[in-house]
Amino acid sequence: MRRLRQVKIVATLGPKSCEYETIDRLFLAGADVFRLNMSHGSAEDVQKMHAAIRRVEREAGHSIGILVDLQGPKIRCGSFENDAAEIFYGDLFRFDLEPEPGDSRRTCLPHSEIFEALRPGHKLLVNDGKIRLSVESCGPDYADCRVEVGGLVSNRKGVNLPDTNIALSAISEKDRLDLEFACGLGVDWIGLSFVQKSADVEECRRLARGRAAVLSKIEKPAAVESFDEILEASDGIMVARGDLGVELPVQNVPPIQKRLIAKCRAAAKPVIVATQMLESMVHNPSPTRAEVSDVATAIYEGADAVMLSAESAAGEYPVESVGTMNAIAVEIEHDKAYRESIESSRCVKRATIADAITAAAREVAENTEVKAICCFTHSGTTVALAARERSRVPTVAMTPFDKIARRLCLTWGTHCYVVESIQDFEDAVAKAANIARTENFAGPGDQVVVITGMPFNIAGTTNIIRVAPVA
């Protein structure tokens, strides 16, 4: 199942795509990684989808990554007497800790930490920012707010606080249980929601204990401000533009996206661009031109992956959405301007032998007729460095570990294969040539670049590069 593109596609599963037959069709249409969202559905649902993905993987003989997205401390208001209430511009509206159903004058906001952190002038955004309020006065158990943009507020709508740093852990008690459950299943990535600082990531890593890689979702202004420290602590990043676009002015999001992608590329860590990429395909069989341009922009900027959310989870056209994203990626990557953009933005900071080896492999590939760069890896680090170079030829990742192959499904330009441990350098060359030939990366008489390390089968020893013929 060789993909004819370098960028990866993440597809979220949900009520419209939870059955084996649909998951198989999504994989064939182009999904490389499946996202399971712990905010929706039961543990039984997640377990069923996980089993279906692994069945597709076995039958296809091709590694598939699984990302489980933790809910995080989502802040929601309380309920209302008639399930909803309308509030109007200029009205005074109170949030408090009282559990009684609300009305047009007040509602519960069941988080005492919020009232401790609120200050006059802070904004509260309800229902994805459709309703906006400003704090006029507040205390340890209330906040009186002036309505700046009114509307209908219904039960349990989400509340964003862009100006407020809240002393809430990014990992709730539910998240701890969900994380342990997901790691027990054997998922490959844990998506950490509402990260604000590197300590949130480090806590998640302690709980995961190496059983899954940690991907930090950047969706709060505090995370943007602390991004360098968060990136260093994370295995990967998601630019989650939904909440980010609510808590920041929407015009700020594109330059933030571009900046975060560049930093992830320099750090050789995978980055996903997510939220509303093909939103109109939830109800329509084709996207808008603006959505196509949005996906294209993320690809031109060098993102490792682009993601579908509601389009594939709850939309009417999940398979078509993946197929459309695949078609966009293939077309963009054939554009001459794409290579110019990728190569002009390539990271040039290289400090280790492995950095030099992977850079040299890319130079050889670009200046000769080499068909692929073949990397043997135990931890995935060598492949990540090779992918950072954004070579014009595919990167073939070979590892003895299923979990490493699956994690690398998120990494740009990487085609993952599980092989037996290599015995010596000649064995490495033979395995690389065999994979290149059988998977149609190269034919008899072609050449590939082989990267490995000595001593063999030990992580972090990348020190050998060789151009080898394919028999």
Side-chain angles (χ1 to χ4, degrees), residues 95 109 122-126 131-133 135 145 159-161:
F95 292 97
L109 190 58
H122 284 196
K123 305 295 182 185
L124 286 89
L125 314 177
V126 184
I131 295 169
R132 304 175 67 92
L133 305 98
V135 177
C145 306
V159 179
N160 294 83
L161 299 106

Side-chain angles (χ1 to χ4, degrees), residues 268 346-347 349-366 373-377 380-393 395 449-452 462-466:
R346 181 180 288 138
C347 170
K349 292 182 180 180
R350 304 183 182 95
T352 68
I353 292 173
D355 290 338
I357 290 285
T358 51
R362 190 259 307 161
E363 289 278 0
V364 170
E366 288 184 355
I373 297 172
C374 300
C375 303
F376 288 89
T377 184
T381 302
T382 300
V383 177
L385 294 175
R388 179 176 67 179
E389 294 294 323
R390 297 298 193 260
S391 172
R392 297 180 186 181
V393 302
T395 301
V449 174
V450 180
I451 300 174
T452 186
T462 302
N463 56 16
I464 299 175
I465 179 174
R466 177 176 169 180

Side-chain angles (χ1 to χ4, degrees), residues 249-268:
V250 290
Q251 66 270 21
N252 290 12
V253 176
I256 289 172
Q257 172 181 311
K258 188 179 185 69
R259 188 166 69 250
L260 300 193
I261 290 173
K263 290 188 174 187
C264 290
R265 286 181 59 187

Side-chain angles (χ1 to χ4, degrees), residues 301-365:
E301 290 172 347
D304 288 79
V306 285
M307 192 179 97
L308 296 166
S309 300
E311 303 96 326
S312 58
E316 297 172 29
Y317 302 95
V319 177
E320 292 84 354
S321 296
V322 173
T324 297
M325 190 165 270
N326 181 78
I328 296 168
V330 171
E331 187 65 27
I332 296 304
E333 291 182 7
H334 279 88
D335 179 19
K336 181 181 177 182
Y338 169 73
R339 285 309 319 173
E340 292 172 351
S341 175
I342 289 294
E343 291 171 13
S344 66
S345 58
R346 181 180 288 138
C347 170
V348 295
K349 292 182 180 180
R350 304 183 182 95
T352 68
I353 292 173
D355 290 338
I357 290 285
T358 51
R362 190 259 307 161
E363 289 278 0
V364 170

Side-chain angles (χ1 to χ4, degrees), residues 32-335:
D32 302 291
V33 176
F34 288 105
R35 171 176 172 257
L36 311 179
N37 192 348
M38 299 304 296
S39 299
H40 308 288
S42 64
E44 183 180 357
D45 294 331
V46 170
Q47 188 168 19
K48 179 182 174 183
M49 289 185 285
H50 180 275
I53 295 166
R54 291 297 177 233
R55 178 183 167 189
V56 171
E57 180 183 64
R58 288 193 302 272
E59 293 176 354
H62 191 287
S63 298
I64 300 175
I66 300 178
L67 162 66
V68 161
D69 206 334
L70 301 180
Q71 177 176 290
K74 182 71 174 177
I75 298 168
R76 298 182 184 276
C77 66
S79 60
F80 290 84
E81 289 177 355
N82 298 309
D83 296 327
E86 190 159 9
I87 60 176
F88 297 92
Y89 169 78
D91 284 355
L92 199 64
F93 188 84
R94 169 169 286 202
F95 292 97
D96 56 40
L97 293 173
E98 300 300 322
E100 290 80 10
D103 53 29
S104 60
R105 299 184 301 276
R106 62 154 294 277
T107 192
C108 178
L109 190 58
H111 300 277
S112 59
E113 302 93 337
I114 291 175
F115 297 106
E116 293 171 6
L118 279 176
R119 297 292 182 270
H122 284 196
K123 305 295 182 185
L124 286 89
L125 314 177
V126 184
N127 193 13
D128 292 332
K130 295 181 178 67
I131 295 169
R132 304 175 67 92
L133 305 98
S134 179
V135 177
E136 290 202 343
S137 63
C138 52
D141 57 359
Y142 78 95
D144 287 330
C145 306
R146 190 67 61 183
V147 179
E148 296 183 343
V149 178
L152 193 69
V153 188
S154 55
N155 295 339
R156 307 280 302 154
K157 283 300 182 184
V159 179
N160 294 83
L161 299 106
D163 306 319
T164 312
N165 288 324
I166 309 164
L168 281 174
S169 169
I171 304 177
S172 66
E173 187 56 38
K174 172 180 166 27
D175 293 331
R176 291 172 181 269
L177 296 173
D178 288 343
L179 186 151
E180 189 60 34
F181 169 73
C183 287
L185 284 179
V187 305
D188 310 300
W189 289 88
I190 295 292
L192 184 60
S193 299
F194 301 109
V195 175
Q196 297 191 82
K197 54 190 181 301
S198 60
D200 297 332
V201 188
E202 290 159 2
E203 181 182 4
C204 186
R205 294 182 74 89
R206 285 193 297 271
L207 294 170
R209 303 196 307 276
R211 293 171 293 172
V214 177
L215 184 136
S216 296
K217 296 172 62 179
I218 306 303
E219 48 196 336
K220 296 188 72 65
V224 176
E225 294 172 8
S226 304
F227 182 72
D228 290 346
E229 294 79 12
I230 290 170
L231 176 60
E232 185 176 356
S234 305
D235 297 304
I237 295 292
M238 181 190 294
V239 185
R241 305 175 306 172
D243 279 280
L244 199 58
V246 171
E247 299 212 1
L248 288 168
V250 290
Q251 66 270 21
N252 290 12
V253 176
I256 289 172
Q257 172 181 311
K258 188 179 185 69
R259 188 166 69 250
L260 300 193
I261 290 173
K263 290 188 174 187
C264 290
R265 286 181 59 187
K269 294 185 178 182
V271 54
I272 305 170
V273 175
T275 318
Q276 298 176 329
M277 301 215 80
L278 298 176
E279 184 79 4
S280 67
M281 290 193 75
V282 171
H283 300 296
N284 299 298
S286 59
T288 66
R289 278 66 171 170
E291 289 167 343
V292 172
S293 294
D294 182 40
V295 174
T297 295
I299 297 170
Y300 278 119
E301 290 172 347
D304 288 79
V306 285
M307 192 179 97
L308 296 166
S309 300
E311 303 96 326
S312 58
E316 297 172 29
Y317 302 95
V319 177
E320 292 84 354
S321 296
V322 173
T324 297
M325 190 165 270
N326 181 78
I328 296 168
V330 171
E331 187 65 27
I332 296 304
E333 291 182 7
H334 279 88
D335 179 19

